[in-house]
Structures are given as C-alpha cells and as structure tokens.
Amino acid sequence: MLKINPASGEAEEITLFDLMDGAVKERAGLVLKQVLENIRDLNTDPCKARTLTVKFTFAADDQREDVQVKTMVDCKLIPIKDVMTKVILGSQNGELVAVEQPKAIPGQLNMGGGEQADAKVVKMGAKRA
C-alpha cells in the first residue's frame, strides 16, 4: 500500500498498521497491555489462552475507487477466578447469625507462626421463631 507525501508528492510504502496516522498500532498496543495485565493477574488462570484481534473491514463505492477502511481492535480476556468459602448458619440470642468457617481452629498456630483469629459473627437481623 502506498501513501503520498503531500509536501513532496513522493509515494512511500506503508502497512495496514500505519493507516490513520498509526492509530491502529496505538490501539493494538493498548489492548496488548490489557492482555498482558490479565496474564499477570494472580486472580486469573494463567494457562488459559487470551486473544487479541485486529479486524479491518473494507467497503468500496460503486466505482471501486474510494474505499472506506474501518478497524476494530479487541481482546478476549480470562475472567477472575471464583472464590469460595463456607458459611455456617446459627442463632445467637434468638437472632439469625452467619459465621464463616475459618481455615483452622481459632487460636491454632499456622505454618508461618501466626495464630488463627476468632471467626466473625454476622448478625442477619431476623429473629428466629
């Protein structure tokens, strides 16, 4: 593909990524950054593939002289992994409460030397009948 330099009238060869004063290349770079950040995110699966798509659409006029070129830069990222816990329901003074089951028994030492904190009790606000 050729681009005519308006000042000198000379033609220079360009690629599709040079169209629109480099806007396609710039957008592809921005989307590539999103893909790489998604790969580095510890909350996503590192082994699943991501995609970066650059799509060019060409639409000519009836005389096949003028061509509209539309570009789209997009990516498919990996969603954040689900996080699960176990909540135990009970009652306290006749009120419904929920307690997240701790990973260890409260007061127990972990491998790092720290102590498991007491479980937090969340009052659900409804009285049990």
Side-chain angles (χ1 to χ4, degrees):
M1 186 179 298
L2 297 176
K3 179 179 180 180
I4 306 297
N5 184 328
S8 66
E10 292 182 18
E12 58 181 277
E13 193 165 325
I14 62 169
T15 69
L16 288 172
F17 287 96
D18 296 321
L19 291 175
M20 295 166 256
D21 295 323
V24 178
K25 187 186 289 185
E26 179 182 340
R27 290 177 184 192
L30 293 171
V31 173
L32 175 60
K33 183 179 178 193
Q34 292 175 358
V35 170
L36 298 176
E37 287 173 348
N38 186 256
I39 291 170
R40 294 283 306 229
D41 187 341
L42 297 177
N43 293 306
T44 64
D45 186 338
C47 299
K48 290 190 177 175
R50 284 91 169 146
T51 60
L52 187 151
T53 304
V54 180
K55 179 179 176 181
F56 292 89
T57 305
F58 300 87
D61 65 2
D62 291 341
Q63 290 76 37
R64 302 171 200 262
E65 292 176 356
D66 291 329
V67 180
Q68 292 284 331
V69 181
K70 179 179 166 185
T71 61
M72 187 266 316
V73 180
D74 194 20
C75 64
K76 183 174 185 306
L77 304 176
I78 301 302
I80 293 174
K81 293 186 251 182
D82 293 342
V83 180
M84 294 188 63
T85 190
K86 188 179 230 182
V87 176
I88 302 166
L89 299 178
S91 64
Q92 190 175 57
N93 300 325
E95 276 192 279
L96 178 64
V97 295
V99 180
E100 181 179 13
Q101 183 176 357
K103 294 177 183 163
I105 299 169
Q108 184 177 6
L109 295 179
N110 63 27
M111 297 300 285
E115 189 175 308
Q116 174 67 45
D118 288 337
K120 294 180 182 172
V121 176
V122 178
K123 293 182 180 180
M124 304 307 286
K127 292 268 187 189
R128 284 189 85 160

